[in-house]
Amino acid sequence: MISLKLIFRNVHKNVREYFIYFLTLMFSVSLFYAFNSISAQPALSNLGVTRKVLYEQLVILISALSIVIAVVLAFLIIYANQFLLKRRKKELGLYMLLGMKKGQISRLFAGETLCIGIIALAVGLVLGFAISQGVSLAALRLFAVELDKFQVVFSAKALFMTALCFAIIFLIVLLFNVWSVTNVELIDLIRADRKNEMMKSGKPVLTACLFILSIIDIGASVILFNKNGILPTKENFSFQIAVTSLTVGTFLLFFTLSTVLIRLSRTNRAFYLKGLNTFLVQQIASKIRTNYLIVTIVCGLLTVTICTVSIGASTALTMNQLAKGAAPYDLNVVSNISVDGDGDIAAYLVKKGAGLDKYAEKMEQISSYETDLTYGKFFKGQMVELWQIDEELPEQKIDAFALSDVNKALKMQGKKPLMLNEDQYLINCNYKGTYSFIDTALKLHPEVTINGQVLHRASDEVMQDTFIMTSIGNNDRGTLIVPDKIANGLKKDMNALLVRYKPDVNSNEVLKKMIPIGLDKTHGYRYAEKNIMYEMYYGTNALMSFLCCYLGIIFLLICAALLALKQLTETTDNVSRYGLLQKLGAAKGDINRAIFVQTAVFFALPLIIAGIYSVFLTEKAMTVVEKFLNIHISTNIGLTVIMFLIIYGGYFLATYLSAKRMVTE
């Protein structure tokens, strides 16, 4: 009973000491539960075939990732526990002086850790339940499920998985505590507040050489990434070499940065000798020198976090925007005339047992024609900087649609028909990669020559419609609309059958008929179906967004917690030095400012380096994603900034206030 009372009293008395530890546990539990509870949402059980497959893959991947993340969190929590043990060593030493056995002290400290763990688990599960509802709503939105089908649910499976993982983690922590207290000597406990890590100053020449070598390593990795991309291949080990070079370079950079910082500061004596700057520079250099390994790891994790979240958020937002006008019909079937000749697509489908009369409310066949005007010639007179996926566009010929065919397509979309004189043209473009150049070209070239005929622009505004469904975000890089008389004199390039379903048609029945058509490699018939386009879009979108955000948030939490705990440990070691500064006459405001600057530099340094790396690596990763999805992704780092402000900024503020309180007390 006495031990139990002492445990509760110590937890209450040291509640502020446990704040960072408790915060880390609580966030870990809540995020772990929230993302593993997605499978419990009933509204996600009735998805289409494609989305359902991708949704099931998402659940499997999150479950697999959760095991890896649980292991990482276990190390993080043990590391956080080390801070608590170090902070309480002197107190535990006093217990030993008063006659308590090491076993009793171990049980006491283990009891406190268990108490905090149970509270954090309970609070984290409550917070996780609230967060999980927001995660479920986001999942419904990304998988294009009506929000009115949302239900508030509690996942027993996620609860069991979370409780089991963290029970194992707490057991490991308890064993670690017992081992730490049992093997420590009394003198180490009593003198814990005087035992500091010593900073060894390296030889200036060797340090300078290693610093230069770090810059060379980082530069070499940039060159390799820039030359060969960021995808590993079996034939070329350039990716592995670049990653190794970047890792070694970053390690050496932080290893030598403290000495470089001191040397540079001493060259400016007016700055170095002003106020508490001498003390401040030495403290910052000492932190970097003794924690270079931690800072290197944090820098790497922050780089991964910024890249994954930025790419996931940017892809989701871009695809959301592009999907709005990408599928104006339920189905269209295209035919390559150079392979199949100029024929009736509907008749061909009937011949192949895939007739659409039973399902179609309306069908129209339209054609595109090949002109003798290239994009490069049309862009003449302006500086054109195309995206990487469009590098060969200037040599390609611009396609054209006959006015009558365009009006057929617009009528199926419920839009008004267009009017053109026999010597006029319009241009359509709904692709962001070329829209600005098409718009400028239209204004620069009031006349174009097509097949020897001079045509005048009918409008100085570029149309942004979709006539043939191809893929989301990549429908039309720029297409001319010309009178029928002009089109009839051009070479026909492609036919397309546009289809609008009857009400209540089961699209899966249509797809079953169309699958053999799309797989027939001997003919040039291919199809695009609205539902499957949306399902692939929403499924891919959701899969990428969830995984990127899950990994990003966990990695960010780990980075912030590591830096916070290390900073607080350093502050605990140096409390006596701050007391000495005060005795020497340093103002309280100057001391607080010194603590703030140290904390800010310690948090900002790996973030700045990671930010520089991320700018370059994100661009390379975006190129890979763009080629895979065949779209250009507009970079959007809004979600990344919000995450960093909430988690990273929150930990920074909590660390500064905790360190300030330690020194004040």
Side-chain angles (χ1 to χ4, degrees), residues 154-167:
F154 185 82
S155 174
K157 181 181 177 182
L159 171 63
F160 173 77
M161 188 174 179
T162 304
L164 178 62
C165 286
F166 282 87

Side-chain angles (χ1 to χ4, degrees), residues 552-563:
I553 292 173
I554 294 296
F555 283 168
L556 186 56
L557 176 67
I558 292 169
C559 293
L562 281 174
L563 293 177

Side-chain angles (χ1 to χ4, degrees), residues 29-93:
V29 170
S30 61
L31 292 172
F32 199 86
Y33 171 84
F35 279 92
N36 282 280
S37 66
I38 295 175
S39 58
Q41 179 55 240
L44 290 169
S45 60
N46 297 318
L47 296 173
V49 176
T50 306
R51 276 182 292 173
K52 192 168 185 177
V53 170
L54 290 170
Y55 168 67
E56 290 171 353
Q57 290 299 313
L58 173 64
V59 174
I60 293 171
L61 286 171
I62 286 180
S63 298
L65 276 175
S66 295
I67 296 173
V68 178
I69 288 170
V71 175
V72 176
L73 288 175
F75 284 104
L76 175 63
I77 292 168
I78 291 172
Y79 185 78
N81 185 71
Q82 279 186 302
F83 163 72
L84 290 176
L85 187 62
K86 187 170 185 177
R87 186 86 170 106
R88 303 278 305 284
K89 272 186 176 181
K90 188 172 182 179
E91 179 187 341
L92 299 179

Side-chain angles (χ1 to χ4, degrees), residues 199-225:
M199 185 182 78
K200 298 178 182 179
S201 57
K203 296 179 180 180
V205 176
L206 178 61
T207 301
C209 291
L210 290 177
F211 181 77
I212 294 171
L213 180 61
S214 72
I215 302 301
I216 293 173
D217 280 345
I218 294 171
S221 67
V222 169
I223 293 172
L224 289 173
F225 279 131

